[in-house]
Amino acid sequence: MKSNNLLDTPIEYLKGVGPVRADMLKKELKIFTFNDLMGYFPFRYVDRSKFYKVNEVKTDAAWVQLKGKIKGLQKIGKPRGGRLVAYLEDDTGRLELVWFRGFQWLMNKFLPNEEYIVFGKPNLFNGKLNIPHPEVEAVSETQIHLGDKLQPFYYSTEKLKSKGLDSRGISKIMKTLLLQVQGIIPETLSEEMRKELKLIPREDAILNIHFPKNPEILKRAESRLKFEELFFIQLNLLKLKLIRMEKIQGNLFSVVGNYLNDFYKNCLPFELTGAQKRVIKEIRVDMGSGHQMNRLLQGDVGSGKTLVALMCMLIALDNGYQASLMAPTEILAQQHFKSISKMLEGMDIQVALLTGSTKAKQRTALHDLLQSGHIHILIGTHALIEDTVKYKNLGLVIIDEQHRFGVAQRAKLWKKNITPPHILVMTATPIPRTLAMTFYGDLEVSVIDELPPGRKSIKTVHFYDKDRLRLFGFMQRQIAEGRQVYMVYPLIKESEKLDLKHLEDGFESVSRAFPLPKYAVSMVHGQLKSAEKDYEMQRFIKGETQIMVATTVIEVGVDVPNASVMVIENAERFGLSQLHQLRGRVGRGGDQSYCILMTKDKLNPEAYKRIKTMVKTSDGFEIAETDLKLRGPGDLHGTQQSGILDLKIADIVKDEKILKYAREKAIELLNDDPHLEKETNSPILKELNKLTRNRPNWSLIS
Ligand code: ADP
Ligand code: MG
């Protein structure tokens, strides 16, 4: 009898795999077991029931299958290297086939009067179509089953191909596997749910996703598997939330006391916006509920999240707790430290700064003060959640983030105290709804959907490099009016040296165009020591320099109201949310502000779309949606490492509807059976446990 454990069999034991290929499969595709291979889905299908005639092959857009004789085989070019060409002839004409390796074998393969089936993707070369490296099979020996109309295509890598595991090779071992496991592929959803949602059984879905019997069943297989994938992500997130609500006590912030009241009466530099008031209230209620708060605060650049953060920290203090604020970069941590210390001037509150560059001696002193409770608010970078940092009673952690701060990192904080602190994650830029649902699906959400009054909208224009003189003229006029200018250069990680050179060249040419003593130019980049960075930033903040040449180290949070011009060099190289962040550095004072996007002359369509989007809108939510659509979720900043978004089949952009539906269903299920104890839900519980076992990021509360 076949047993369920068969699916856990190491992949080397599959017929046709063996130790060498198994090794490669593990390394290249993380396929360790039968089950893993089964979950390696094709990315595309090609209809092998259709045969083209040579004269019907007119573009290089689609894969084609032809039938005919192979003529005129000859080697061209150098004895070693070069290429082998031949022609496929049918009654409508002939089409060139070309190979760049495997000559010897190919020379002997083809018989002159035999009929062959040729399959491949046409390529346009020197104005003519040919087919490079086609699959060729004699009609008499063909392995193509006429039943397999849709042939699956699997991603492969050079290394796998060298071991015979190209798409075709993978499809062969897949077939072997499926024949072996057919009949024991477990169902993961309850019968009720499947019926209600009209989803096909998992086994049918798996068999047909690999070898679809027809296009209709392929569609149903896809829907079933997409739903399942998104459903379990949502279920996991919601279950985490449930466990937290049930098991984890929260610090009860029951009072609104003197700190907040004093601050509100005496220190608040301006009237809060309606949105700020609303979210502070949401947060206050949450922290006063007895549960641990896990909340996401979304707000566009400049919407005043820092002030909200500060007021929430004061609530913690009022209840006798400490609070900390974590920033993604050192510069930003320093800025927060300065601006918050300033806002709290005159109040009896101790604020401290802890970053990677805090000296050991200071650090020790700081640790003591934290543990004794003499420090009320700690501001810093990732350093402040290191295990060595111990608090007297940390009540609230606020994460002002740039990188996605995933569930795993949040979980680390849950362990920070016997009763874990409340957590508020603030986004640097808005996140699209689907991404928020997937990535922060376990959090409550607050949104600041209003900018402080009196903000003038920023004028955004697109200049080409050839407009540089105009740019400099414009900068001169702005500086003459007392304004300051940022010029930002892109950072490409692969080559920091080259980046620095770009920046330094830029600095030089700007310094030539804006010479001393009339002008002064600052430069800041990531390789400067923190004291040097700080010195340069301070000169700019104080207005001693008029132009700040920088890399994206200034991307987040830097706040100089007098700076009214943001020039972004090589803007085509930046992602949309980054451009939006950078633009948000200006428009903070009362003056009309400008963002100038400098690009090279020729832009690819995607870059063009990004630039156009920036010129057209300043709505961060709209920009985030466009960004997600243009780039796809896999590319978004910081999401790769998360593990959560390695989706096998679903796509959170294209499958937004399924995602919402999956979330609804997960909520419904947990409302009805919070611990998944009902017999009918046992397949769901089993699958969830398996997933959390196999994906460390998923299982967070021990
Ligand atoms: P972000 O949400 O991007 O972090 P900040 O908190 O840095 O925004 O706030 C941007 C600017 O707006 C700061 O200069 C801040 O002092 C100012 N600001 C915040 N709230 C208000 C308000 N209610 N009225 C006027 N200005 C405000
Ligand atoms: Mg901010």
Side-chain angles (χ1 to χ4, degrees):
M1 208 190 98
K2 290 179 179 180
S3 106
N4 211 329
N5 299 343
L6 187 61
L7 285 171
D8 296 327
T9 312
I11 195 66
E12 52 261 49
Y13 298 116
L14 183 66
K15 190 163 164 279
V17 177
V20 177
R21 284 178 158 188
D23 219 43
M24 216 49 109
L25 284 167
K26 287 175 201 170
K27 282 204 192 101
E28 297 285 294
L29 302 176
K30 298 202 170 63
I31 291 175
F32 294 89
T33 63
F34 283 16
N35 196 50
D36 294 341
L37 181 63
M38 195 172 86
Y40 191 67
F41 300 147
F43 67 97
R44 197 155 51 76
Y45 304 84
V46 174
D47 186 349
R48 296 292 302 256
S49 65
K50 176 165 173 60
F51 282 93
Y52 284 77
K53 290 287 183 188
V54 166
N55 67 359
E56 289 174 318
V57 180
K58 297 211 170 89
T59 74
D60 59 358
W63 292 71
V64 293
Q65 177 171 249
L66 305 124
K67 219 186 299 184
K69 294 191 174 138
I70 292 189
K71 298 275 163 86
L73 197 65
Q74 62 167 316
K75 179 78 197 311
I76 294 179
K78 294 177 224 131
R80 318 190 68 203
R83 64 188 196 275
L84 187 69
V85 298
Y87 292 99
L88 173 84
E89 278 188 13
D90 67 9
D91 48 11
T92 69
R94 57 190 226 169
L95 183 64
E96 190 177 271
L97 311 176
V98 51
W99 291 267
F100 299 95
R101 53 177 188 270
F103 304 142
Q104 210 52 55
W105 183 74
L106 285 162
M107 289 291 239
N108 299 323
K109 179 175 160 123
F110 303 120
L111 301 171
N113 282 319
E114 179 85 42
E115 256 218 305
Y116 289 94
I117 296 173
V118 168
F119 177 69
K121 179 116 193 273
N123 180 38
L124 197 58
F125 181 73
N126 278 345
K128 253 176 55 192
L129 285 168
N130 64 24
I131 303 186
H133 284 264
E135 279 179 25
V136 183
E137 268 181 328
V139 170
S140 59
E141 295 171 356
T142 182
Q143 305 253 334
I144 300 164
H145 295 285
L146 287 176
D148 294 349
K149 285 186 171 173
L150 293 168
Q151 184 178 325
F153 270 69
Y154 296 91
Y155 274 114
S156 179
T157 65
E158 284 310 312
K159 281 184 181 157
L160 281 165
K161 282 178 192 161
S162 76
K163 297 279 178 276
L165 289 177
D166 54 2
S167 169
R168 215 177 142 92
I170 294 175
S171 129
K172 257 190 198 150
I173 58 171
M174 194 67 79
K175 201 155 229 169
T176 311
L177 173 72
L178 293 181
L179 284 172
Q180 221 174 319
V181 299
Q182 191 162 2
I184 59 152
I185 298 175
E187 181 51 64
T188 52
L189 298 174
S190 67
E191 186 80 26
E192 289 163 16
M193 202 159 160
R194 256 196 341 94
K195 289 249 164 73
E196 187 205 327
L197 306 180
K198 300 198 174 64
L199 297 172
I200 61 174
R202 182 147 177 275
E203 173 149 318
D204 292 352
I206 299 258
L207 296 177
N208 280 287
I209 201 78
H210 290 293
F211 301 103
K213 290 214 180 65
N214 55 53
E216 293 72 43
I217 190 132
L218 173 60
K219 271 227 170 72
R220 300 199 64 194
E222 279 171 349
S223 317
R224 147 86 214 209
L225 294 167
K226 282 177 176 182
F227 174 83
E228 174 181 335
E229 182 167 44
L230 295 169
F231 172 75
F232 278 103
I233 291 176
Q234 289 304 318
L235 189 64
N236 178 57
L237 288 167
L238 293 162
K239 192 112 199 305
L240 277 178
K241 183 167 158 184
L242 201 74
I243 295 172
R244 263 198 341 254
M245 298 292 260
E246 283 178 348
K247 296 219 174 113
I248 301 186
Q249 284 259 310
N251 299 309
L252 184 65
F253 291 1
S254 51
V255 301
V256 172
N258 289 338
Y259 285 129
L260 189 67
N261 287 332
D262 270 6
F263 179 79
Y264 197 83
K265 272 196 220 111
N266 306 321
C267 306
L268 197 63
F270 24 61
E271 181 69 14
L272 293 176
T273 63
Q276 282 172 320
K277 281 186 197 157
R278 176 172 42 77
V279 304
I280 290 172
K281 190 168 167 208
E282 285 166 3
I283 294 166
R284 186 165 55 78
V285 169
D286 209 355
M287 296 192 300
S289 72
H291 291 302
Q292 185 225 0
M293 175 176 78
N294 274 273
R295 188 172 279 275
L296 176 68
L297 175 58
Q298 286 226 58
D300 210 341
V301 184
S303 60
K305 294 184 288 288
T306 319
L307 187 59
V308 170
L310 173 59
M311 294 179 68
C312 295
M313 292 198 285
L314 294 179
I315 300 177
L317 269 51
D318 273 334
N319 286 276
Y321 289 92
Q322 293 165 303
S324 68
L325 172 61
M326 183 168 116
T329 66
E330 193 148 337
I331 288 192
L332 185 54
Q334 279 166 6
Q335 270 242 308
H336 277 325
F337 175 68
K338 278 186 196 124
S339 63
I340 285 179
S341 302
K342 195 161 159 228
M343 282 198 263
L344 294 178
E345 231 160 56
M347 290 183 69
D348 185 21
I349 295 175
Q350 298 309 312
V351 187
L353 177 70
L354 175 66
T355 67
S357 60
T358 307
K359 300 255 158 46
K361 217 166 122 194
Q362 269 173 297
R363 192 177 281 254
T364 322
L366 217 140
H367 284 181
D368 290 345
L369 290 171
L370 260 185
Q371 236 172 344
S372 63
H374 284 89
I375 291 174
H376 301 111
I377 293 179
L378 182 63
I379 296 174
T381 49
H382 267 73
L384 61 76
I385 58 159
E386 276 164 21
D387 290 335
T388 46
V389 184
K390 302 234 158 51
Y391 297 78
K392 179 167 181 234
N393 58 355
L394 179 61
L396 167 67
V397 177
I398 298 180
I399 298 152
D400 190 6
E401 72 153 7
Q402 173 186 34
H403 309 288
R404 308 261 174 260
F405 195 73
V407 194
Q409 291 97 314
R410 292 202 294 277
K412 201 166 155 186
L413 285 173
W414 295 333
K415 295 184 185 139
K416 204 78 204 150
N417 218 334
I418 302 166
T419 304
H422 296 300
I423 298 174
L424 182 68
V425 178
M426 306 195 294
T427 60
T429 40
I431 334 173
R433 228 164 15 142
T434 51
L435 202 60
M437 236 190 251
T438 317
F439 207 81
Y440 297 109
D442 60 327
L443 303 187
E444 312 294 334
V445 181
S446 288
V447 183
I448 308 185
D449 49 7
E450 180 187 353
L451 291 179
R455 290 274 167 85
K456 288 210 177 110
S457 72
I458 301 163
K459 286 203 173 111
T460 303
V461 288
H462 176 198
F463 273 20
Y464 291 101
D465 282 334
K466 58 178 192 291
D467 304 323
R468 191 158 296 272
L469 278 180
R470 255 171 79 205
L471 169 72
F472 283 168
F474 176 73
M475 285 166 60
Q476 274 162 3
R477 287 193 298 280
Q478 285 288 307
I479 293 171
E481 286 177 30
R483 305 284 99 77
Q484 286 164 287
V485 181
Y486 293 108
M487 294 186 84
V488 178
Y489 286 78
L491 240 168
I492 324 136
K493 286 249 168 49
E494 300 98 78
S495 128
E496 280 176 23
K497 279 215 184 94
L498 204 69
D499 288 345
L500 196 58
K501 181 158 181 332
H502 273 143
L503 184 76
E504 278 166 349
D505 289 351
F507 175 72
E508 246 181 64
S509 84
V510 175
S511 300
R512 260 198 311 274
F514 294 86
L516 289 164
K518 188 167 177 206
Y519 301 100
V521 185
S522 285
M523 176 165 68
V524 169
H525 55 81
Q527 271 139 320
L528 289 180
K529 295 228 172 60
S530 129
E532 296 169 306
K533 251 188 265 179
D534 195 40
Y535 173 76
E536 285 297 318
M537 283 305 304
Q538 285 309 318
R539 290 212 311 152
F540 187 67
I541 290 168
K542 287 184 202 140
E544 292 167 15
T545 61
Q546 297 84 33
I547 300 173
M548 163 63 80
V549 174
T551 53
T552 47
V553 292
I554 64 149
E555 180 182 335
V556 186
V558 171
D559 194 15
V560 182
N562 191 50
S564 65
V565 183
M566 168 61 70
V567 180
I568 304 176
E569 298 282 350
N570 294 114
E572 73 275 8
R573 290 216 180 136
F574 288 89
L576 260 178
S577 73
Q578 228 179 352
L579 290 171
H580 182 59
Q581 260 296 323
L582 286 168
R583 178 167 61 183
R585 298 306 108 212
V586 296
R588 298 181 159 235
D591 311 301
Q592 176 61 54
S593 291
Y594 303 87
C595 175
I596 298 160
L597 305 169
M598 301 295 295
T599 72
K600 59 181 185 184
D601 290 350
K602 284 221 167 80
L603 295 180
N604 70 41
E606 213 191 287
Y608 188 70
K609 179 95 204 270
R610 286 199 296 272
I611 302 291
K612 264 192 98 165
T613 303
M614 285 297 293
V615 171
K616 186 183 100 198
T617 179
S618 57
D619 177 342
F621 284 90
E622 188 183 333
I623 288 173
E625 293 286 348
T626 310
D627 195 25
L628 184 62
K629 288 200 181 106
L630 279 179
R631 290 205 287 171
D635 275 351
L636 286 190
H637 210 44
T639 51
Q640 290 106 321
Q641 306 95 297
S642 75
I644 286 189
L645 283 177
D646 298 332
L647 298 177
K648 279 204 177 90
I649 184 163
D651 173 322
I652 61 166
V653 179
K654 295 192 190 114
D655 301 320
E656 183 172 355
K657 272 203 192 117
I658 305 182
L659 171 60
K660 276 198 251 166
Y661 196 51
R663 185 169 171 89
E664 273 166 35
K665 288 293 146 190
I667 292 172
E668 248 173 52
L669 177 70
L670 289 177
N671 279 341
D672 177 56
D673 184 11
H675 301 283
L676 302 177
E677 289 161 332
K678 291 191 178 165
E679 181 52 35
T680 47
N681 292 330
S682 73
I684 300 180
L685 182 63
K686 215 162 150 193
E687 177 69 6
L688 187 65
N689 288 338
K690 201 169 97 198
L691 287 170
T692 48
R693 226 182 17 253
N694 295 341
R695 304 179 80 166
N697 281 342
W698 273 39
S699 56
L700 299 156
I701 298 184
S702 41

